[in-house]
Structure formats: C-alpha cells, structure tokens
Amino acid sequence: MPNPLLADWSGPFALPPFAEITDADFAPAFEAALSEARRNIAAIAADPAPPSFANTIEAMEQAEGLLDRVSGVFYNLSGADSTPEREALMRDLAPKMAGFSSEVTMNRPLFQRIDTLWQRRAELGLTAEQARVLELYHKMFLRAGAALNDADAQRMAAIKERLAVLSTAFSQNLLADERSWFRPLSEADLEGLPDFVVAAAREAGRERGQEGPVLTLNRSLIVPFLQFSPKRELREVAYEAWVARGANGGETDNRANAAEILALREERAHLLGFANFAEFKLDDEMAKTPAQVRDLLMRVWAPARRKAEEDAATLTGMMHADGVNGDLEAWDWRYYSEKRRVAEFDFDESLLKPYLSLEAMIGAAFDTAHRLFGLEFRALEGPFYHPDVRGWEVTRNGRHVAVFLGDYFARGSKRSGAWCSAMRSQRKLGGETSAIVVNVCNFTKGDPALLSYDDARTLFHEFGHALHQMLSNVTYQFISGTSVARDFVELPSQLYEHWLEVPEVLQKHARHWQTGAPMPQDLLDKLLAAQTYDQGFATVEYVASALVDLDFHDGPAPRDPMARQAEILAVIGMPHAIRMRHATPHFSHVFSGDGYSSGYYSYMWSEVMDADAFEAFQERGDAFDPETAAKLERYILSAGGSRPADELWLDFRGKKPGVEALLKGRGLLETA
Ligand SMILES: [Zn+2]
C-alpha cells in the first residue's frame, strides 16, 4: 500500500486521510519529503538561468511542499496525542530538521541569488507583497549569518553551539534545584491551607518517599502555600528557597552561565553588525528599537508602582492589625492579598461553571465571529486524528473559507497548555489553498463538559489565533496567517478575549446547562470586577523582569549580572515587598533559549495593542461595529506578514497605540 502521507489527498477539503495514516508511515514520509526538499533547493541554487523572483523565491516557496504537509500532520499529533514511538521520532527528527534548515541558510550560491535579487529589487517590477517576501527572505539569510566570511561564519557556529550547551545547562540546573528542595510539613503546619493544597502536599510527600506531606518549589504548590499559610516564619523559609532557585552555589548555580550567555550574545550581535544583542533582536520585531520598548515599559511602570505602593500600605495595615509589626515583606504579600480578595471580591467560582458549558462557549466564540466577520460554521463528519476531535467547515456567504478543528479535552497523551496550529496554511501560489486550523486545549471532560472562566478565556484566545489563520488572504505561505513578528502575534488572540467580557455575549450564551437560565447579574458583575484584582503587584513584578531583560542586552554585557540586576531595581524604585517575577538565575524565558531574550516585554506590547484595538470598537459605542470589524479583518487578520506590523496597525487604528486602555483594563488608571 502506498504511504498515505505521500499520496494525493483527494478527499473533502483535501484533509489529511487521518484514518489511513499509521505511525509507521511517518519516518519514511519524512525521509522522502526531506530528500525532495533537498533536491528542489539544490536545483534552485544550481539553476543556470539568472535569478528571477519566480525561479528563486517562488521556487523556494514551493520547494518544501511535501515536507510542510508531513510536518503539519506529525507535529500536531506529537503535541496533541503523543506516544513513546512519536516521541522517539521527534527526538530523531530534531537534529535532521535543524540541520536541513541551516543547510539552506548557509547555501552560498542560493544566498547569492537572493542577494542579487535584493540588490536589483527596484528594477524587478515586484508587487508590494512580493517585495516584502523578498525582503524577509534576504533578512532571514543575513540574520542566520549567510553573508559572513569563513572565519566569522566559523566563530558564529561555535557561538551557537556553546549557547545551545549553556541554555540546556541553565534549564537542567533549574530543574535540579526545583526537584531537590522540599520541606516536610507537620500537621500543625497545615493550618489554614485549603483541601486542595493539603492534598497536593501529601501527594508531593508520597512522590518523594516521605511519611507525611511536604512543601516543594512547584509553582502550583508554593504559590497557594504563600497565599494561605498563616505561619509567617514558614512562609519566609519557603519564599527564600523559591527565589534562590539557580543561585544555591555548587554545580547547579546558574549565575556564571547567565554571564557567559550574555557575553556570547553580544559577540554574535557584533558579528552581524549590530551594536548589541537587543538591537539585533528587536530589528526583527514591531518594537524595532530598545528605546521604544523602554519607553512603553516605563509608561506602565509609574502607575503600576503607584498602585502597588497603595496596595502595600493597605496590606501592611492588615498585617499590623494581625499583631505583626514591622515592614510588609515579599513572603507576606500573597497572604494578605488573598485575605483582602476574599473580603472585597469573593464569589464562589463553582457557581459559574454550570453557565459555562463547552458547547455554550464554542457557540459564543462562533457567534462572535459571525457577528464580526459573517463567518458560518457547519459541523463535519470525522474521523479526525483522535475520537475527541471535532471539525467544522467555515464558510462566508456560501463560500468555503477554511476547516476548523477543535481538540478540547485533556488526556495523558497531550502536552499541557493550549495552542493553535495550522495543519495547512492559506496561500494562493500554486492554486488557492485554504487553511486547516486546529485549536488544542486541556479542558476537563464531563457530561456535559463545564469550563472555568479561565478555560472560557483560553477558548476565545486560541480561537483568535485561528481567525488569524483562517481569514488570511495572501499569495505566499512565508507571510501567511500568524507568520508575523513575535510582539504582534498575540494581538488577534488577546483581542478576541475581550468579546468574552462583553456583557451581552455572556448574557446570551452563558446559560445554565440544565435550566437554560442566564447567568445572574450579580454573579456576572462580580466576575467582571474581579478581573483587575491585585494588578499593581502583577504589573510591577512583570515590568521589573522585562526591564532587567532589556537592560542586560542593550549595551555591553554585564560581567556580574546579579550586581547589574540590583542596580536596575534600585534605579526604578522597586517596591520593598515585591520582587521580580523571574530573577536572573531562574529567568528561563531569557536564558533557557533565545526565544524571549530581550523579548520578555512582548506580552505587554501585545496587551497594549489589544486593549487599544478593543477601544476602537468601544469608541464607536458598539463592540460589533461593522466598520471597525472590516478594518480589523482587512489590515490585520487577513494581512499576515505582508507588511510591517507597525504599518498594519496604523492603517487599522490611524494612530499609535496608547497605554491608557491597558492601564484602564488592569485597573491602574484611577490612581493616576
Ligand atoms: Zn496565544
């Protein structure tokens, strides 16, 4: 029987033939797809004809067609429905795929062709989209080091290799520190802890072969412990152990690793002609320069700090009333903040759930997309890649738009978290191709499945990413859908979350699964009011981390990052009872890889935009304003990376995003 991954997919919507694919098909399919891609790339590089956009860039766009198809199916499965065989294949593929990609970017004749096109770009008669695609290909090769001389290319390779070793060590040290520390808890130590914390502590004790419950540094145990334990000395011990991860001396200490990583990154940026690593990193992002990032962070910092100081005064008062004198400390914040939350905002989360059935929330997400963009959803017969997966054809005015798959329930074979991926991306080159998009979540199965409010928000978030893929309307896959800057990609998803907070959406869709009654108004009000609680604290601990990350990479690399971190915190006036969300020795975003280095700001950058984008609807007095929705689709959801993100934003909004909407959304404005 021929390999179904390599055959033509001629079924409805050219979906992968899920029922026919077996695990044994993947390895040979990857082998065939990789060698086809290699042959195609080699043919482009060796083409005797002078380079043209068609014989070079468009040819590259199509060179990896088979590889894209096989990868689309496999990488979705390996995350959503893993097996030991699939994991083994993933380990096996990682170096092969990385090797192939550096083979391409280090192919000198290929780069020559792209560079020639780039030099002659003004004479080529390119469309705006083609010019953008050429620019991005050229940039990708340059940033990978394609234009370096041999000596520099060798040094670059050595730096990358050393960085890979150091970042792996950073993660492993952190894991070792997290695993090795625990503290037995006596029965008296359990005082004040809710049942779920006690149960988690007992489970942690069993895992570690202890008689009784223990406290560990796992975030899901230590954070609620700090929230609920009235034992101040114990909170202090626990907190200090938690923030010492990666800085305990000995073999697992990460401080020297952090310093070496920063120095190597600086050298890498210099080789590529940038003044420092932040300049290199941000050159590819919407923010573009360190100065713009710092400006945004500082505009949020001042009001957040003011709010946090006010809250600190309130919490200190509560602590003194408790008979504890002196300053509020970092190990006191969560405890008194939780007491205050109960007093001021409390409502029973379990009362919400009957109104938030999965069916109702899928309906809410679809209905919102219908009202904004005219999309319609028709359920499809499976089978898909797992019995729990559901599929819909998405249409507009009777015309096919995309296929949407929802894989909502947790299972042992699924990695944690939630994500959106395209099994096939929209493009027009080589024939109109629509997207196949999947949302993967980890909701608890039930009959019916009932969501928490956080779950419902996750469903909306991932559906926002899905819209970015499904509504994409570009010619080239390279810039399709979510192929945009990292600090822009969360805009559609975070923006979509806002519609869940539109009271009429919950009033219409959040209905009791048994009685059909709408959610009671006072519950709805409390739910919406609780969304801004303790945001001074959350914003301060986040922005401080983002500022330290930026400073480390924007200038000469610090020899002693810990000393530099202390200086930065002193300069910005870090409140006494709040520490960085991630201090240097355990700042994985920055040191366990390159992804978020001088990029930790991007969460807030996107939030500034999503808050401001939703404000555009509110200014029109209608969360479903058709004109604003049309602009959102035209300039953002359909545009992919066809133009720089700042230009897309300006066309959508007509002005740069202001921070006011974000401050309002976080409840930080009223103190200004
Ligand atoms: Zn997201």
Side-chain angles (χ1 to χ4, degrees), residues 194-215:
D195 291 346
F196 81 93
V197 182
V198 174
R202 289 197 196 284
E203 179 56 35
R206 267 191 295 276
E207 268 172 28
R208 276 155 210 261
Q210 299 296 303
E211 285 291 311
V214 304
L215 183 63

Side-chain angles (χ1 to χ4, degrees), residues 68 129 162 165 170 182 192 200 208 223 262 290 311 355 375 457 490 632 662:
D68 283 345
E129 191 183 329
R162 179 69 185 150
V165 170
F170 192 95
F182 68 89
R208 276 155 210 261
V223 169
L262 292 173
D311 289 339
Y355 296 95
L375 299 180
R457 192 158 51 203
E490 295 298 327
L632 179 65
L662 170 135

